[in-house]
Amino acid sequence: MILVTGGAGFIGANFVLDWLSVSDEPVVNLDALTYAGNLENLASLKGDPRHIFVQGDICDRELVDRLFAEHQPRAIVHFAAESHVDRSIHGPGDFVRTNVTGTFTLLEAARGHWMSLDEAGKAAFRFHHVSTDEVYGSLGPNDPAFSETKTYEPNSPYSASKAASDHLVRAWHHTYGLPVTTSNCSNNYGPYHFPEKLIPLMIANALAGKPLPVYGDGQQIRDWLYVTDHCSAIRAVLAQGTPGEVYNVGGWNEKPNIEIVHTLCALLDELKPDPAGSYTRLITYVTDRPGHDRRYAIDARKIERELGWRPAETFETGIRKTVQWYLANQEWVAHILSGAYRDWVETNYAAR
Ligand code: NAD
Ligand code: DAU
């Protein structure tokens, strides 16, 4: 059995679904169900005994100790985090709490559990930490893509808190010998992506006839990876990764934001044409994000070379699947848009 944290969020839920589609090894899923956690993401697992959901906080040491003692997981895959850069600018406290203190709590609980194992159990145990390319900072137009040896230069409260968590994970290996692995991945997209992030926000706004808010000049570059390719990369690291090692994960898909928005408009024009005209009419340039990183790009050669991992989707196939998924799952989107989401839209966009 494995313990997953944050398995009701975007990537965590995709991971749990993907894991149970290729393996019968049960998953204990610990998630606090913050605004970003959504059990509807896991509705297809209802009644499946291989999925044990526990609502709880990764900062709750007693609870985490109990889960280790009860379920004796052979590995933990740690997704739980506050993940949205804009929210970290408006309220960084939750990011330090969950991303730093939460990771510390899990590391200590995992260390306690690991120490209790026999030699074979100790050697087999893994703590996999899911991190981000944002810890490396921002690239210039001609800089090489981020490799695993790139210096850390986090620029937002979010990326700084993730960088801190990466350092804790590294130290728990170096000092205590805990068998950890870390993956630093580029921007994910796909089903169940919370509509505060660029791609699902643009799709939701376009379908509602609302402005498509492009920050600054729209020329910031992100490196996009379809979410199930991230899941397969994590499975590969868990199965074959070397303790203490870091693996960068990306799809070699660098795109400026404005190109992403135009691609989404073109797909929507094809799949759900609006009688009022092309969705591009809704594109609106708005005040930039403070401290906005200009470019991210991942050099994924290490995981490709050492673990034989390759993404299955191209950007063209992945983005089409994504738009089709959102068109087919409007109810899922509607449930989110009707809640506290409205307050967030007011906080982030009203003054732009
Ligand atoms: P998300 O915001 O969609 O989901 C986060 C999940 O963590 C939610 O289900 C939430 O309820 C849960 N959570 C938050 N605080 C918690 C706490 N204190 N205790 C227990 N659960 C808690 O995030 P995501 O986009 O799925 O990202 C998952 C992980 O992947 C994060 O660690 C993020 O840094 C990393 N990552 C994300 C991307 C991306 O493009 N989204 C890319 C690279 C790495
Ligand atoms: O790079 C990996 C990271 O990708 C993850 O670690 C984060 O958890 C994840 O949220 C994501 O961070 P970004 O800040 O890159 O993602 P976001 O979707 O918020 O924004 C993508 C780009 O689009 C970024 O340059 C900001 C821009 N943007 C975003 C929003 C929400 C806009 O222009 N308008 C918007 O309304």
Side-chain angles (χ1 to χ4, degrees):
M1 121 117 60
I2 62 166
L3 172 61
V4 168
T5 70
F10 163 47
I11 305 174
N14 274 286
F15 180 82
V16 171
L17 295 169
D18 177 74
W19 180 268
L20 293 176
S21 76
V22 295
S23 146
D24 277 332
E25 187 174 11
V27 174
V28 177
N29 182 354
L30 171 62
D31 194 298
L33 295 181
T34 68
Y35 80 93
N38 185 351
L39 286 179
E40 284 184 46
N41 301 354
L42 300 161
S44 61
L45 296 177
K46 208 166 182 223
D48 189 329
R50 299 173 305 165
H51 178 236
I52 300 162
F53 183 78
V54 179
Q55 182 171 3
D57 193 328
I58 58 166
C59 299
D60 181 345
R61 175 70 193 269
E62 228 180 277
L63 170 64
V64 179
D65 280 346
R66 183 153 52 75
L67 292 179
F68 271 113
E70 253 176 51
H71 300 289
Q72 299 284 317
R74 69 166 176 99
I76 171 166
V77 185
H78 174 34
F79 293 95
E82 289 292 337
S83 70
H84 190 32
V85 174
D86 291 320
R87 286 189 194 251
S88 81
I89 295 167
H90 288 278
D94 286 346
F95 288 71
V96 174
R97 183 181 176 279
T98 287
N99 300 359
V100 186
T101 308
T103 302
F104 162 73
T105 307
L106 292 174
L107 284 166
E108 278 295 80
R111 183 164 74 91
H113 169 71
W114 178 72
M115 295 286 286
S116 73
L117 301 174
D118 61 18
E119 286 314 307
K122 273 197 178 111
F125 186 78
R126 289 290 181 277
F127 185 116
H128 182 71
H129 177 56
V130 180
S131 193
T132 169
D133 59 0
E134 302 205 6
V135 297
Y136 297 123
S138 184
L139 292 169
N142 301 316
D143 288 339
F146 300 131
S147 74
E148 289 79 1
T149 55
K150 165 77 177 66
T151 47
Y152 270 41
E153 295 176 78
N155 290 319
S156 72
Y158 163 68
S159 55
S161 67
K162 289 296 290 188
S165 69
D166 292 8
H167 292 321
L168 291 175
V169 171
R170 175 191 156 89
W172 260 240
H173 175 70
H174 192 81
T175 301
Y176 304 112
L178 188 69
V180 307
T181 48
T182 296
S183 51
N184 291 80
C185 189
S186 62
N187 285 64
N188 285 212
Y189 67 101
Y192 306 111
H193 203 181
F194 194 86
E196 65 187 352
K197 307 280 172 69
L198 179 76
I199 288 177
L201 178 109
M202 294 296 167
I203 298 171
N205 280 19
L207 293 175
K210 293 184 176 159
L212 308 180
V214 175
Y215 295 169
D217 63 4
Q219 293 300 332
Q220 302 81 8
I221 291 172
R222 297 291 181 266
D223 185 352
W224 294 94
L225 184 71
Y226 193 67
V227 63
T228 49
D229 283 325
H230 188 187
C231 297
S232 69
I234 294 170
R235 280 196 278 107
V237 175
L238 209 55
Q240 311 161 55
T242 305
E245 289 294 312
V246 172
Y247 298 90
N248 282 0
V249 183
W252 306 100
N253 278 314
E254 286 186 60
K255 310 263 181 218
N257 293 339
I258 190 66
E259 188 183 321
I260 297 288
V261 177
H262 276 284
T263 301
L264 293 171
C265 289
L267 281 166
L268 287 169
D269 285 341
E270 176 196 329
L271 299 169
K272 182 99 177 153
D274 184 344
S278 170
Y279 291 99
T280 53
R281 74 187 192 284
L282 300 170
I283 294 174
T284 309
Y285 288 89
V286 301
T287 308
D288 208 350
R289 170 186 280 175
H292 200 171
D293 284 339
R294 197 71 183 161
R295 175 178 166 235
Y296 303 141
I298 278 281
D299 177 342
R301 281 177 296 180
K302 178 177 172 181
I303 188 169
E304 292 176 356
R305 188 178 59 243
E306 294 188 8
L307 307 186
W309 173 83
R310 292 273 184 296
E313 299 291 341
T314 63
F315 184 72
E316 289 65 32
T317 59
I319 198 71
R320 180 174 283 275
K321 275 190 182 177
T322 302
V323 172
Q324 285 168 334
W325 188 88
Y326 278 90
L327 288 172
N329 289 276
Q330 281 297 291
E331 213 178 309
W332 179 91
V333 180
H335 289 168
I336 291 171
L337 302 190
S338 66
Y341 180 81
R342 287 197 198 135
D343 300 335
W344 166 247
V345 170
E346 182 65 20
T347 305
N348 194 43
Y349 295 97
R352 281 204 136 96

